[in-house]
Amino acid sequence: PAPHNFLATGWHDGAVSLWDEKSGMLREDTAVHRESICQLKWDSSGNRLVSADSKGTVGVWKADARGRLVNQCSIQKGQSAVTHVAYRTNDTRSVAARGGEE
């Protein structure tokens, strides 16, 4: 679950938006990605979000108390879509991503 009832959405233009489910207000719109978002996943505590796009870029975000997304890191690996993202159980600091064939 996301913190404070936030809903993360990914867009075709690469933007990642964080919405407040209760009010429907947009909290943040950050464009680290330049390609279509194909994966979004919250960690089990709801404090971190992983985003991945169709050209192999992965971003790790932390939502602050005000609902702003703060980019923790991003990496470009390959040129194909990221097809899976997963957090290691009991360790929200570790994330794995896998892409398709290049």
Side-chain angles (χ1 to χ4, degrees), residues 23-83:
S23 69
M25 304 265 312
L26 178 67
R27 294 292 204 179
E28 186 79 24
D29 186 11
T30 306
V32 165
H33 300 279
R34 289 178 172 65
E35 302 295 333
S36 181
I37 301 300
C38 57
Q39 294 284 321
L40 289 172
K41 183 169 180 82
W42 288 102
D43 71 355
S44 62
S45 69
N47 292 321
R48 285 197 172 49
L49 175 71
V50 173
S51 58
D53 70 30
S54 62
K55 292 293 185 182
T57 301
V58 176
V60 179
W61 309 87
K62 183 174 182 180
D64 70 9
R66 295 183 185 156
R68 294 176 296 197
L69 284 175
V70 179
N71 184 249
Q72 302 293 295
C73 67
S74 59
I75 186 169
Q76 171 71 40
K77 181 71 174 173
Q79 292 294 316
S80 60
V82 176
T83 58

